[in-house]
Amino acid sequence: MEKKAHKRCFISGCCGKNDKENTHVGVFSVPKASLAIWQEIIPKDGLTTSSKICSRHFEEADIEKGRIIQDKFYPYARWSLKPGAVPKLFLGSSISLPSSLPNTKDAPQKCSSSKTVTKDSPIVLPRLLPKKTTDTPCSHVCDPNGSLPVNGPVTHYILLQESLPSLTFQNSNMNTQLIRNGPSLNTPSCLPPISPIPLVQNHNVGVAPFTPIHFDHDYVVDTARPNVPVEKGNSEIAAPQVQLQESLSMSSSAVHDFDHCYGIRPSSSIPTVEEPYLDLDAVGCRDFISGVRFPSAEWYWSFNERTKLLICSCHSISHDGVMTIKTVRILTKSKVELFLNGKSIKPLHMKFEFQMKKELSNILEAFHIRKRCKGIVEESLTDVKVTDKCAGIKDGNVWRSKECLGLANINVLCSKCQLLKKYLRRMKKKDPTNSKDLKKNYKQKLNTSRKALQRMKCKMEKYSATINQLRRERQKLIWNDFDARIKMLNPKEQLVVKTMIAKAKVNPGRNDRLTAMRYDPEFLADCLLIKQKSSAVYKHLRSKGILPLPSQSTLLRMAKKSNLEGLNTEEAGLVHDSDEPHQNTFDSDQLASKNLLEENIENGSPESTDFTEAMSPEIVLPETEEMIVEIYSVE
DNA sequence: TGGCCTTCTGGTTTGCCATT
DNA sequence: AATGGCAAACCAGAAGGCCA
């Protein structure tokens, strides 16, 4: 659909909008404020505010096509001209841009981009342009399938970075030809020589192809080895086996593959009797026992002719009703074995050999005197918890050693049970649950812990005081240095830093609002100036935290207040100290604003005709100008 | 072809809330 | 009560679309 003429560019008649290749071409209206300037620049008569000028007549820098946020470009749906932008390119009325002509719509649009003028070039006026170019609307036609013939001076090119590695270069006097995927591109000789990029064999990896490789670990994977029999030549392995075989009296011909070598000894419990057993008849037995004195009347002899067993026994019943049977068996003519309730015992400090009958009588006497080990009957030890490794056995409320000797020593316990008793007492101390006075122990522990806690608190207070003192000293040093450095800044910079510090001291309320923040009036005045110059910049500076700027409503209230107070600029803090040797960073801006205001006055601005008259409160000025007048009226 | 309307964008004003 | 902050409503200018 052909664009209507009134929407075409006033200068070239191009359509604007999107061309055939969907390349966006903006069309701008003539700003009212710039109409007079544009009429002077554009030689064609009849330019009105309703006229449209396409973007091809403006430099790229004058067109806002989007914004960059965090290094990412976000294009505007509608392009706009920057303030003060004027058309500079192809301003001749008779010229028609190649890609914008209605009758050359099929011409590729990319050519137009190559026909523009570089920024360093002067403004191209109509007289500098070719008088007649309509016959050859595009002097160089882009052929996407072939090479690009250049019939005229080419001003600039776009080099694709990703194409560089695959390019080869062919130098010539005038042009350098770039070959990329078949089609060749001509580049001017003015372009700097492009050094070929070394090809890297690794794909997409910046690693040198011959970088030596170092492994962190060395693994040797070996195949599974069969179970090899032990060779006889290996003495380290074979020796234990031989030893084992010898110890076990096993056949030496057998081959074994043992992991461990254990030596098994014969039991030592088998009594080795060197002397022959007592072999007496009744008469001989009577002769043997004659002359042996009994320790008491309970003792008596007994002899079994069949088994040739000669024993001397004693049955006694204790006061608690426990029967004890002590037996002395005559093994040989010089050895005896003692039994207690049928169990062989070997009490300490007793003899088991004798030479004379008197010595046998002494053995019986000693055996008679010795009392039976009663076991550990202490009530406090009945509930002691022991491990499985304990050598004691609990029978009812009586502890007894597994190796109880049967006969007590001096006390009522044998030596084994005596040891067990000590052990049980130790376990009782270790196990607090076995303690009767558990509550007492806990109280003692509690008191001990309280005392320890008190000591720790005292230490902590002492250390805290030390830490706080060190912190204060450190802070003092920091602030001294900080103050010294701040004083090196100019007053405006000091004000900014102080405002930042004040903002940092404010406790953020709900929603992180710094409602307790109080700005310096002078700082607020500067903020208002920034806001008046560019609201977008102000928002950016504030949102990004570049400067500690107040909210817009704050600025507005401040401005209103200053107006309501009868332009009392000093109270409103809008006046800069004229005696200040350092000029703040906005002085140049204020000067520019002042100049602009004066220009408006000279041009017959309806607000005022004289600068001094603008100070009069009767004259109603826009707030922004009023602020500027306030500032410079004092200066 | 000119004018009107819609849409988009940025700026301003207002009201409400929270904190000191 | 004073102050700061935020969000929504409102307004203005410019770009683009539509229509007689």
Side-chain angles (χ1 to χ4, degrees), chain A residues 14 34 91 139 149 172 175 201 243 245 256 264 307 344 369 383 429 496 506 516 532 537 557 586-587 631-632:
Chain A
C14 60
S34 305
L91 302 181
S139 60
S172 64
N175 294 331
Q201 292 180 352
Q243 188 179 5
Q245 290 167 9
H256 303 280
I264 301 174
T307 59
S344 176
I369 294 171
D383 295 331
K429 289 182 179 179
V496 173
V506 172
Q532 289 168 353
V537 171
R557 268 189 288 268
F586 304 118
D587 285 352
I631 293 168
Y632 292 105

Side-chain angles (χ1 to χ4, degrees), chain A residues 372-376 391-393 398-402 404 417 420:
Chain A
R372 177 178 170 268
C373 177
K374 295 182 178 179
I376 305 162
I393 297 174
V398 179
W399 282 98
R400 191 179 293 277
S401 172
K402 291 177 182 177
C404 179
C417 290
L420 177 64

Side-chain angles (χ1 to χ4, degrees), chain A residues 524 527-528 531 538 550-559:
Chain A
L524 285 176
C527 294
L528 185 61
K531 182 73 167 53
Y538 187 88
S551 70
Q552 300 181 48
S553 58
T554 303
L555 286 183
L556 192 67
R557 268 189 288 268
M558 192 270 292

Side-chain angles (χ1 to χ4, degrees), chain A residues 214-275:
Chain A
H214 300 283
F215 293 102
D216 291 336
H217 306 85
D218 289 331
Y219 294 106
V220 178
V221 181
D222 200 358
T223 55
R225 285 178 288 185
N227 196 5
V228 181
V230 177
E231 297 178 1
K232 291 184 178 179
N234 192 346
S235 59
E236 293 181 0
I237 302 177
Q241 293 180 0
V242 173
Q243 188 179 5
L244 180 69
Q245 290 167 9
E246 289 176 351
S247 64
L248 295 179
S249 301
M250 299 178 69
S251 172
S252 62
S253 61
V255 177
H256 303 280
D257 191 12
F258 296 102
D259 289 333
H260 307 86
C261 298
Y262 299 105
I264 301 174
R265 296 174 182 174
S267 173
S268 61
S269 60
I270 301 173
T272 53
V273 181
E274 301 165 354
E275 205 173 350

